């Protein structure tokens, strides 16, 4: 009777379905466990962690410290992977920007430093980029607040009368100061007024970031070419940037076909 009962159960389709389903479930979980991500802490990484600790602290890494360094490494690695799984590199602006910059750095690391010949050729082809700014030499009388007789001071200065005004932190005489420096010290409005002056005449008052100024332009020097020896580092940076931009563009062209790019109007 028992044998016949089991034969009947075995022939039941529901029984077979249950057995097969259980087998598939077991195999799936074993495969899932075998595909579990692994965090590896190699002996080389451990040595590097210890060396960095000792270099920063000046202390010898004890066994307890080494254990902590290992645990910190594993913690950081798990958090990093979880951040990637959460897509933080896609939605967090700081993370996104950092990864983009690192990719640019990886591309630029493959670009060799330009030779002197290449620098000279780039300098010759791009000479207008390597000129000084217009510079100015002038003196001024400064007032923190407008004086009562402000409208008469220009004529007094023009007639040769000496006026002292208030103390100006940067001094009252400027020699061959560039437009950029003038803009930084006095502001755009002051620079615009100065650019319109003729030599030797007192003009004012000019408004600046600091107060009021009566100004006498002494000399205006137009842009001058910067010698190659003085501009070499700037030229090298410019040429490297051009090559980095070209390398990035080439990389983008090689990758762009993998993406469907939609630009909303």
């Amino acid at each position: 009777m028992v044998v016949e009962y089991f034969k009947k159960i075995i022939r039941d389709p529901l029984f077979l379905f249950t057995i097969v389903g259980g087998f598939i479930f077991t195999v799936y979980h074993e495969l899932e466990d075998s595909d579990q991500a692994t965090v590896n802490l190699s002996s080389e990484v451990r040595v590097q962690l210890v060396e960095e600790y000792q270099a920063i602290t000046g202390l010898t890494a004890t066994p307890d410290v080494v254990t902590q360094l290992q645990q910190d490494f594993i913690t950081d690695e798990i958090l990093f992977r979880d951040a990637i799984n959460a897509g933080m590199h896609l939605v967090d602006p700081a993370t996104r920007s950092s990864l983009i910059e690192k990719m640019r750095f990886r591309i630029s690391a493959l670009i060799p430093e330009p030779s002197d010949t290449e620098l000279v050729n780039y300098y010759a082809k791009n000479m207008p980029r390597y000129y000084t700014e217009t510079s100015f030499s002038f003196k001024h009388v400064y007032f923190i607040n407008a004086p009562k007789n402000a409208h008469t001071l220009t004529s007094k200065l023009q007639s040769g009368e000496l006026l002292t005004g208030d103390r100006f932190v940067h001094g009252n005489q400027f020699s061959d100061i560039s437009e950029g420096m003038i803009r930084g010290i006095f502001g755009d409005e002051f620079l615009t007024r100065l650019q319109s002056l003729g030599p030797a005449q007192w003009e004012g008052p000019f408004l600046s970031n600091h107060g009021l100024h009566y100004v006498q332009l002494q000399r205006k020097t137009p842009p001058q070419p910067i010698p190659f020896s003085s501009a070499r580092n700037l030229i090298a940076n410019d040429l490297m940037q051009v090559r980095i931009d070209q390398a990035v563009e080439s990389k983008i062209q090689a990758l762009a076909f993998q993406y469907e790019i939609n630009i909303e109007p």
Side-chain angles (χ1 to χ4, degrees), residues 148-188:
K148 294 181 180 179
N149 56 343
H151 63 285
T152 66
L153 295 189
T154 302
S155 58
K156 287 183 178 181
L157 288 165
Q158 192 61 44
S159 66
E161 187 173 339
L162 296 178
L163 300 176
T164 56
D166 297 317
R167 178 181 176 275
F168 189 65
V169 65
H170 298 289
N172 294 92
Q173 177 70 53
F174 293 88
S175 297
D176 294 319
I177 179 173
S178 69
E179 290 179 325
M181 291 186 67
I182 294 171
R183 184 181 292 108
I185 295 172
F186 296 96
D188 285 323

Side-chain angles (χ1 to χ4, degrees), residues 176-236:
D176 294 319
I177 179 173
S178 69
E179 290 179 325
M181 291 186 67
I182 294 171
R183 184 181 292 108
I185 295 172
F186 296 96
D188 285 323
E189 183 177 341
F190 182 96
L191 176 59
T192 300
R193 293 284 303 274
L194 185 63
Q195 289 169 333
S196 66
L197 290 186
Q201 298 296 313
W202 281 97
E203 297 286 349
F206 292 2
L207 183 66
S208 81
N209 298 330
H210 305 277
L212 296 176
H213 308 258
Y214 293 83
V215 180
Q216 184 189 54
L217 178 65
Q218 297 167 316
R219 183 175 64 254
K220 179 179 179 180
T221 305
Q224 304 294 314
I226 304 173
F228 175 80
S229 57
S230 300
R232 190 183 189 285
N233 290 339
L234 178 60
I235 297 166

Side-chain angles (χ1 to χ4, degrees), residues 44-205:
E44 291 82 2
V45 171
R46 183 187 298 105
V47 169
Q48 183 180 356
L49 292 173
V50 171
E51 289 178 348
E52 288 177 353
Y53 169 83
Q54 294 181 157
I56 293 172
T57 65
L59 302 174
T60 300
T62 65
D64 287 343
V65 168
V66 174
T67 300
Q68 187 61 53
L69 291 173
Q70 293 178 165
Q71 186 56 51
D72 290 344
F73 173 86
I74 293 170
T75 297
D76 290 347
E77 186 67 17
I78 291 173
L79 289 174
F80 169 74
R81 295 189 187 190
D82 195 51
I84 295 298
N85 291 336
M88 287 184 64
H89 58 300
L90 300 176
V91 298
D92 180 67
T95 303
R96 172 185 167 89
S97 177
S98 177
L99 289 173
I100 291 171
E101 286 305 309
K102 287 185 181 299
M103 284 301 299
R104 288 184 180 274
F105 179 78
R106 287 184 63 182
I107 294 171
S108 65
L110 303 175
I111 302 173
E113 292 289 332
S115 66
D116 285 343
T117 300
E118 290 171 325
L119 292 177
V120 170
N121 290 338
Y122 186 82
Y123 174 71
K125 292 177 180 178
N126 297 275
M127 274 298 299
R129 295 171 60 103
Y130 303 108
Y131 271 72
T132 64
E133 292 183 298
T134 299
S135 62
F136 298 84
S137 296
F138 64 92
K139 59 183 178 180
H140 71 120
V141 177
Y142 165 66
F143 294 92
I144 298 175
N145 299 305
K148 294 181 180 179
N149 56 343
H151 63 285
T152 66
L153 295 189
T154 302
S155 58
K156 287 183 178 181
L157 288 165
Q158 192 61 44
S159 66
E161 187 173 339
L162 296 178
L163 300 176
T164 56
D166 297 317
R167 178 181 176 275
F168 189 65
V169 65
H170 298 289
N172 294 92
Q173 177 70 53
F174 293 88
S175 297
D176 294 319
I177 179 173
S178 69
E179 290 179 325
M181 291 186 67
I182 294 171
R183 184 181 292 108
I185 295 172
F186 296 96
D188 285 323
E189 183 177 341
F190 182 96
L191 176 59
T192 300
R193 293 284 303 274
L194 185 63
Q195 289 169 333
S196 66
L197 290 186
Q201 298 296 313
W202 281 97
E203 297 286 349

